[in-house]
Amino acid sequence: MAPPKIRTYIDDYVKFGFTFIEKDGVQKPQCVICHIVLSNDALRPSRLERHLTTAHPMLKGKPKEFFVAKKNSLSKIKIDHTGEFQQNNKKNVEASYHIAFMVAQQKKPHTLGETLIKPSILKAVEIVLGEENKRKIAQISLSDNTVKRRIDELALDIKNQLIHKLKHSVFFAIQCDESTDVANCCQLLVYCRFINEQPIAELLFSQALNSTSKGSDVLSTIDIFFDQNGLSWKNVVGVCTDGAPAMLGSRSGFVSLAKNKNPSIIGSYCVIHRQALAAKTLPSELKNVLEVCIKVVIYRPSGPQSYKHNTNRSMVGY
């Protein structure tokens, strides 16, 4: 039986997103995108192109210069012949993101990762799995600056996903409210409601109003956000506000100014604000009934049907 053919790397293979590493005198192709190392037998155009098409379809058609830049970046990374260092480092980074996400969910200080979570994990791994595995876990970065950066990146990714869904939604509605925080700074909260297989309501953005809280200031703030993120007033079908004069004024109110952008916008106001004021002076008999009604309205069952109670709500009346 003839020995297998030993293939050699050709510089032109970089157009498929591959460089090479050498082990025991044998060249093996390495992807400059995912850093995976293939066998020497894969060092041929058809196999390299198939990996690019199946593993990185979005990069097919990129110019050769793009992959050359990736190749140069890869050469600066400390990586062994198996790619194990890069693969392990990728897992460490992924674990760091998951822990940072949990810190954000629990609204805990960023220093918690370095002062409590990591030491606890290291001690548990040392006791249960041994010293060698402890050294692997110790490479996970959980400093306060790292956790903050991870949370910022996760928040940006969530925002980009939301913007992407809004751009691909036929229409959406917004709900605006301004409130004063503990530092007496006026904060504008803007929620959006759109359809993505089912009605979804999410916080779109929150921003401080540096001057006043007039309708024109609110419109200007939302206008800037729309322009920066490629959103259009033409797709806005409804605006819900708290019913304040600055929002519902017939001339300079925010809803009136928004209708100048899109005359088909339907304006509405959230009745909960007025109900909250009225509930303070209700007789005890009526107050008890109102409390029961509120519990029924805000009840949200767990599981895949958690959005079912929203399906009959209007796009503009939330």
Side-chain angles (χ1 to χ4, degrees):
M1 184 176 180
K5 180 180 179 181
I6 303 300
R7 302 180 182 275
T8 57
Y9 180 82
I10 300 176
D11 291 337
D12 195 50
Y13 287 171
V14 72
K15 68 182 181 181
F16 302 118
F18 276 84
T19 182
F20 76 97
I21 59 176
E22 188 169 336
K23 180 184 178 184
D24 299 330
V26 178
Q27 295 178 346
K28 295 184 177 182
Q30 181 182 29
C31 178
V32 299
I33 305 300
C34 62
H35 306 158
I36 189 173
V37 178
L38 305 180
S39 66
N40 175 264
D41 184 60
L43 203 52
R44 41 184 166 172
S46 59
R47 292 283 298 276
L48 301 181
E49 186 175 12
R50 184 171 65 183
H51 174 83
L52 178 64
T53 304
T54 57
H56 314 291
M58 300 297 293
L59 300 180
K60 187 178 180 181
K62 288 285 187 179
K64 182 178 178 180
E65 291 74 18
F66 173 83
F67 297 109
V68 171
K70 291 291 184 181
K71 175 183 176 181
N72 295 335
S73 298
L74 180 61
S75 64
K76 299 177 183 178
I77 300 177
K78 180 183 177 183
I79 187 168
D80 61 13
H81 65 274
T82 64
E84 183 177 357
F85 177 85
Q86 182 63 32
Q87 293 167 6
N88 288 340
N89 185 58
K90 182 179 179 180
K91 293 179 180 178
N92 292 335
V93 173
E94 183 180 355
S96 178
Y97 272 101
H98 279 285
I99 295 175
F101 181 67
M102 289 186 284
V103 170
Q105 278 188 316
Q106 298 300 320
K107 301 179 179 65
K108 299 298 182 181
H110 298 164
T111 55
L112 188 68
E114 191 174 27
T115 58
L116 178 61
I117 297 177
K118 187 173 181 178
S120 302
I121 295 176
L122 290 176
K123 179 57 67 175
V125 170
E126 180 184 7
I127 295 173
V128 178
L129 301 176
E131 188 68 28
E132 183 178 352
N133 290 295
K134 176 186 175 182
R135 287 195 293 269
K136 295 179 181 179
I137 299 298
Q139 298 175 5
I140 300 175
S141 178
L142 289 175
S143 66
D144 55 341
N145 289 334
T146 299
V147 172
K148 179 186 180 300
R149 186 171 65 253
R150 301 273 191 258
I151 293 174
D152 290 341
E153 291 172 355
L154 288 168
L156 179 61
D157 181 66
I158 293 173
K159 173 187 172 183
N160 290 338
Q161 290 184 50
L162 179 58
I163 296 298
H164 176 77
K165 291 178 181 179
L166 285 178
K167 287 181 179 179
H168 288 79
S169 180
V170 179
F171 50 79
F172 64 93
I174 59 175
Q175 179 182 14
C176 309
D177 191 16
E178 7 96 27
S179 180
T180 304
D181 60 19
V182 293
N184 289 326
C185 180
C186 186
Q187 300 285 347
L188 173 66
L189 302 175
V190 179
Y191 292 82
C192 63
R193 186 171 175 83
F194 59 98
I195 295 178
N196 182 34
E197 297 181 355
Q198 58 185 358
I200 297 178
E202 294 285 354
L203 174 65
L204 184 57
F205 73 93
S206 172
Q207 187 169 325
L209 296 175
N210 297 322
S211 54
T212 60
S213 57
K214 297 178 181 179
S216 56
D217 298 317
V218 175
L219 182 75
S220 175
T221 302
I222 298 177
D223 237 350
I224 293 174
F225 182 86
F226 276 21
D227 290 340
Q228 291 175 343
N229 295 279
L231 298 176
S232 173
W233 283 100
K234 295 180 180 179
N235 296 332
V236 180
V237 296
V239 174
C240 183
T241 67
D242 59 2
M247 293 292 188
L248 294 180
S250 59
R251 294 185 179 179
S252 60
F254 167 69
V255 176
S256 299
L257 296 175
K259 287 184 177 182
N260 292 334
K261 298 281 187 179
N262 181 2
S264 63
I265 287 178
I266 300 175
S268 61
Y269 61 87
C270 180
V271 297
I272 296 179
H273 290 79
R274 299 186 180 185
Q275 286 179 348
L277 295 174
K280 294 181 179 180
T281 58
L282 281 179
S284 58
E285 295 83 359
L286 293 178
K287 188 174 182 181
N288 292 335
V289 175
L290 179 60
E291 289 176 351
V292 173
C293 294
I294 292 175
K295 290 181 180 179
V296 172
V297 170
I298 66 175
Y299 172 70
R300 169 172 281 181
S302 59
Q305 300 297 322
S306 59
Y307 285 100
K308 187 175 181 180
H309 73 293
N310 282 329
T311 54
N312 292 325
R313 292 189 180 184
S314 167
M315 283 292 296
V316 297
Y318 63 97

